[in-house]
Structure formats: structure tokens, C-alpha cells
Amino acid sequence: MGADRADRTEGKDRKEVSRSFGVLALLGVLLVIAGLVGLVYTGVATLTSMFLFGWLLLAGGVVGLLQAVQSRKSNYFWLAVIVAAINIAAGFVILRRPEASAEALTMFAALLFLTGGVFRLAGGLVVRGANFGLTLVQGAFGILLGLLILSNWPGSSLYVIGTFFSLALLFDGLSLVALGMGARRILGLVRDDTPPDGAPAAQDAAAGAREAAEKRLPEDQERSNN
């Protein structure tokens, strides 16, 4: 009875785990679809990402302000209040002016790519390590990407952030699909390798017979010596 109950519990746990990984794979499929749609409609994806970013800043600022009020006796009270106020103000600005905010973030992203590419290129030329060629390619690609974004700014702000946001959704969705499907496949292999119900009893009986035979050998040797 105890073995049957344990087998039922184990089978139920496996089904729940398999269902959880199936839900994870389904979420990955939805993210992949959202990423593909965003790559087609980059303008909508840009505005959507800006609204999400604004709401996240606003919610984070409110939560930070509440935490600062709760810990108002700490030494970092005013610093926490200032950071929360900046987050709330930035969230309001982004929600009120999403197009202008997208232009500012696109400019920031272009400058980040440009400066990062320059430093990576200069560092690769100075250090000349094992990945010298890869470092040069990455630095040149960052500089080229930053220059391309800046050359079409502010028109590039309509699609740059949306493209990056959609690519992030696409790759995250693909990783979740791969994780969910791979885990379900591993669970299936483990289930196939599980021995039948009679196998543990047979294995215990064989082990008991082997132990008994090992005990008889010294006794038989003693009798033959006598």
C-alpha cells in the first residue's frame, strides 16, 4: 500500500512538473509571436515599450517612496525620497510625451553604442589578447551601429527602440520554448527508464540471495577445514 501510494504521488508530481514546463513553453510561444509582431510594427512596439517603461518607473517610484516613508529613521531617508521622486517624475514625463522620450532614449542608445565601440576598439588594439579579432569586430560594429542611428535621428527613434524590444521578446521566447520542450523531453526519458512495479521486489530478492550466499561461503570453508 505504501509503495502504491508513493508511486501515485511520484506520478502526480511528474505530471505537475510536466504541465508547468508546458505552460513555460506556451509562454515562450506567446513571446515569440509578440516579438515577430513587434518587428513588423516597429512604431507600435516603440510606443508600447515607452508606455511600459513609463509605468514601471512610476510604479517603482511609488514603491520606493512608500519604503522610504516606512524607514524614515534611517540615514538614507532623503536619498531614497529623492530617487523615488526622480523615478515618479520620469515616469510622468514618459507617459505624457512618449515620442520625445523615445527620441531621447534613442540618442542615449546611439551614444552608448558609439562610446562602447570606441573603448572596445581601443582596448583591443592596446591589449591584443586572445580574442583580438573578435574584439575589433565588436568595437567596429558598435561604432557603425551608433553612427547609423545618429545619422537618421530623430527619425530612427520610431523604430530603434521597438526593434530592440521586439528582438528581446523574440530571443526570450525562444529560450523559454527550448527550456520547456527540453525539460519535458528529459522527463519523458526518465519515465521510460523507470523499472516496472515488480522490478524493485525482484532486485531486493536477488540482493538478499547474494548476501545469503556470501554468508554461507565462510561457514562451508570452516566445516571443510574441520
Side-chain angles (χ1 to χ4, degrees):
M1 293 294 292
D4 294 338
R5 186 177 301 172
D7 292 338
R8 293 196 198 97
T9 304
E10 185 178 358
K12 185 178 179 181
D13 292 339
R14 286 182 178 177
K15 288 181 180 179
E16 290 179 356
V17 172
S18 179
R19 191 180 300 112
S20 300
F21 281 116
V23 173
L24 191 67
L26 180 60
L27 178 61
V29 171
L30 294 177
L31 289 179
V32 169
I33 294 173
L36 293 176
V37 172
L39 289 176
V40 176
Y41 302 100
T42 54
V44 177
T46 299
L47 292 178
T48 303
S49 60
M50 294 310 300
F51 278 117
L52 288 176
F53 186 47
W55 281 111
L56 285 175
L57 284 176
L58 190 62
V62 172
V63 172
L65 187 60
L66 292 177
Q67 290 180 351
V69 171
Q70 290 178 355
S71 59
R72 54 184 175 273
K73 294 182 180 180
S74 63
N75 297 327
Y76 302 100
F77 168 70
W78 289 110
L79 179 61
V81 170
I82 292 172
V83 172
I86 292 174
N87 288 333
I88 292 174
F92 272 120
V93 170
I94 292 175
L95 292 176
R96 293 269 316 222
R97 301 288 303 276
E99 294 86 359
S101 301
E103 293 179 1
L105 285 180
T106 302
M107 172 67 75
F108 177 75
L111 294 176
L112 187 64
F113 283 124
L114 189 60
T115 55
V118 169
F119 279 108
R120 185 168 294 175
L121 192 62
L125 291 174
V126 171
V127 176
R128 294 181 179 272
N131 299 323
F132 173 69
L134 181 61
T135 304
L136 291 183
V137 171
Q138 290 177 345
F141 181 76
I143 294 173
L144 179 62
L145 186 58
L147 292 176
L148 287 176
I149 295 174
L150 288 176
S151 63
N152 295 323
W153 190 85
S156 58
S157 61
L158 298 176
Y159 58 86
V160 169
I161 296 177
T163 302
F164 290 159
F165 181 69
S166 302
L167 288 175
L169 289 179
L170 180 61
F171 287 114
D172 287 342
L174 290 175
S175 63
L176 288 179
V177 171
L179 177 62
M181 298 301 293
R184 294 195 68 178
R185 190 179 300 111
I186 292 173
L187 287 176
L189 293 175
V190 171
R191 190 181 298 113
D192 293 338
D193 293 338
T194 302
D197 295 336
Q203 292 175 358
D204 294 338
R210 192 181 302 108
E211 290 178 359
E214 291 176 355
K215 289 180 180 179
R216 288 197 194 97
L217 286 175
E219 294 177 358
D220 295 339
Q221 291 178 357
E222 290 179 359
R223 290 177 183 176
S224 61
N225 292 330
N226 294 331

